[in-house]
């Protein structure tokens, strides 16, 4: 089980890092900028979560293979100009996995530290979405999660609560994690596919 | 006394949350954005203060009724479209109370942790003003406190020092808090009313 | 030796504070804004480093003479309008000293806390560059370190590794620090003088 979780985490980190590097290259940043935005997108959520809960050493300090991987990816991206060749639509699926796994593991860590379901769901959402918000802010765009775009943070919030309820009813963390993760991934893919939003823009 | 302090804190949190939700709705954000900006405006200052002083658990983790209240407010604001109906001038008074109570309680917490008057006054100003600065940055505006607008952060700074001196001279925390708080609220209201600034813009 | 290090730190803090105050005055900020941007530019890197490593009390809380100095500088800058009179080219040299000393001392602190060379080099770069990045973000500009400008963060990264290798080979911290610091300062000055970049903008 821990091996599968770590594999899912790695998929999330790589997907989020790629999303950051694509934006950074569209903004014509140099390799340092590509690495920084990739790092922030992939590891920013976990860093915020750890700081909020005073959980040290930070995730990326404990797992230094992850920033090393991001550094190698940034070099490849920069010198091969990958960021302008990968279509953003290709990362929707790994990004959804990252959103799911980061949200649920962030929430679980909060439960381990004896926080309530409500606080844990907020910390789960922060873990899942903060990296992307910081990526957009640093690239001088209105963060994705604040635009009236397809639902994103609310799926993470609902997925965390589904996970808590399943864990409580089924008394199996593995089964609960699977259900919560599948829920977030499937609903997120459906939201993009069928353009589901919380609120229509009133100007249309 | 603690009850009155908590009541004042709640007024400050609600006022700051409303200020955030108004800006978020003017920017056409969806309910998630409205909640996030409201949360950041109301609880960002206290979070920064607690992180700087390594004071855990964070204020909003300890008082989870406050993020819950902000979530309920965000739903009401979003679906009733309140943010476009409340005039910003209506929140000047509760915002001044929030500035006052957050500044002085932030500074007092620093004194409790044995910091000097100078460090405590900086932490008081951060507690009082950071939420609003972050709100403006996330909404892609030059933060209010950096514009040559009516004085704001400097009132908080002066109010903290007045509080320290009163506490030292009068040996009564209650009396000192009352004087410091009244000073900040009255001077802030006067600054808005009579358009008091630190420096005139030289282009006029 | 500690005296010389503290002197170099002070030079770095003053140089970074001046860089922040120049930008703040170009943006027509009032004295509060000038102080805040100066503070953030000078002390933001060390604050991020301390938060990431859970190293409390923070640098500027322990050395309160530094925020006091920045406050005095901000008053002088504001009322004498210095920010519009100092040419930015005049701070390239002290800024290079600040980059060098902050990077290497940040990295050394990470080594003292038993982190690996790789993690320590990341923390060194953060200490050296985060203040400037935050200064630019708060002033609503694309951060300097993300533009395809003369190399900056990469010099800090290379300088940290040179410092580690020298320390390991020469078994003298003083000599290693001198070599690493000279490397960063000289290469940074050369990069500005001869316009050395990591990547040319492809639109030229």
């Amino acid at each position: 089980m821990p091996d599968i979780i770590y594999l899912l985490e790695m998929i999330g980190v790589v997907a989020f890092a790629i999303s950051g590097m694509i934006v950074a290259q569209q903004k014509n940043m140099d390799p340092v900028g590509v690495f920084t935005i990739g790092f922030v997108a992939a590891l920013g959520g976990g860093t915020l979560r750890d700081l909020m809960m005073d959980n040290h050493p930070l995730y990326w300090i404990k797992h230094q293979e992850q920033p090393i991987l991001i550094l190698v990816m940034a070099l490849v991206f920069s010198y091969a100009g990958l960021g302008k060749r990968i279509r953003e639509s290709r990362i929707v699926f790994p990004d959804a996995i990252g959103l799911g796994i980061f949200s649920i593991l962030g929430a679980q860590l909060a439960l381990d530290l004896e926080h309530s379901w409500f606080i844990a769901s907020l910390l789960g959402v922060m873990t899942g979405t903060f990296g992307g918000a910081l990526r957009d802010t640093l690239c001088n765009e209105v963060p994705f999660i604040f635009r009236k775009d397809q639902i994103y943070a609310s799926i993470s919030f609902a997925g965390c609560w589904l996970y808590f309820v399943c864990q409580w009813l089924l008394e199996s963390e593995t089964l609960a994690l699977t259900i919560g993760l599948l829920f977030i991934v499937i609903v997120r893919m459906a939201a993009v596919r069928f353009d589901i939003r919380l609120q229509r823009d009133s100007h249309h």
Side-chain angles (χ1 to χ4, degrees), chain A:
Chain A
M1 188 63 191
D3 287 350
I4 295 179
I5 288 180
Y6 190 70
L7 182 70
L8 291 168
E9 274 187 340
M10 281 297 263
I11 293 176
V13 163
V14 168
F16 279 3
I18 290 177
S19 78
M21 293 180 189
I22 289 178
V23 179
Q25 287 211 311
Q26 285 169 349
K27 294 269 170 179
N28 263 312
M29 291 186 183
D30 77 358
V32 172
V34 171
F35 169 70
T36 308
I37 304 293
F39 182 96
V40 156
L43 301 171
T47 300
L48 182 72
R49 175 202 64 197
D50 289 343
L51 287 177
M52 294 281 137
M53 289 195 266
D54 202 23
N55 181 45
H56 290 276
L58 301 180
Y59 181 80
W60 60 269
I61 291 183
K62 213 164 15 186
H63 293 280
Q64 58 166 311
E65 67 279 7
Q66 301 206 345
I68 292 177
L69 174 66
I70 294 172
L71 182 60
V72 173
M73 286 173 63
L75 293 174
V76 173
F77 258 75
S78 294
Y79 292 106
L82 282 187
K84 287 167 180 168
R85 292 218 305 261
I86 297 180
R87 272 170 300 156
E88 247 176 294
S89 62
R90 298 291 291 277
I91 60 160
V92 170
F93 183 59
D95 180 271
I97 293 178
L99 178 68
I101 195 77
F102 284 6
S103 302
I104 288 175
L105 294 181
Q108 179 56 45
L109 179 62
L111 293 186
D112 292 343
L113 297 171
E114 314 272 316
H115 295 302
S116 71
W117 282 13
F118 178 71
I119 293 295
S121 67
L122 288 188
L123 288 162
V125 175
M126 284 181 194
T127 312
T129 63
F130 181 71
L134 197 53
R135 171 197 65 203
D136 295 344
T137 302
L138 288 178
C139 293
N140 249 340
E141 304 207 333
V142 174
F144 179 65
I145 59 159
F146 295 158
R147 293 193 306 244
K148 285 192 177 165
D149 235 312
Q150 292 105 11
I151 48 177
Y152 195 85
S154 16
I155 301 177
S156 156
F157 188 75
C160 288
W161 283 91
L162 181 63
Y163 170 69
F164 300 151
V165 170
C166 287
Q167 204 180 18
W168 179 61
L169 288 178
L170 308 173
E171 288 176 18
S172 154
E173 208 178 299
T174 312
L175 192 55
L177 189 148
T178 312
I179 295 175
L181 181 57
L182 282 178
F183 171 83
I184 293 180
V185 173
I186 292 172
V187 178
R188 173 63 188 157
M189 296 303 289
V192 173
R193 178 74 186 75
F194 302 109
D195 197 30
I196 303 171
R197 292 155 196 254
L198 273 189
Q199 228 177 30
R200 292 286 145 185
D201 200 315
S202 49
H203 299 306
H204 286 217

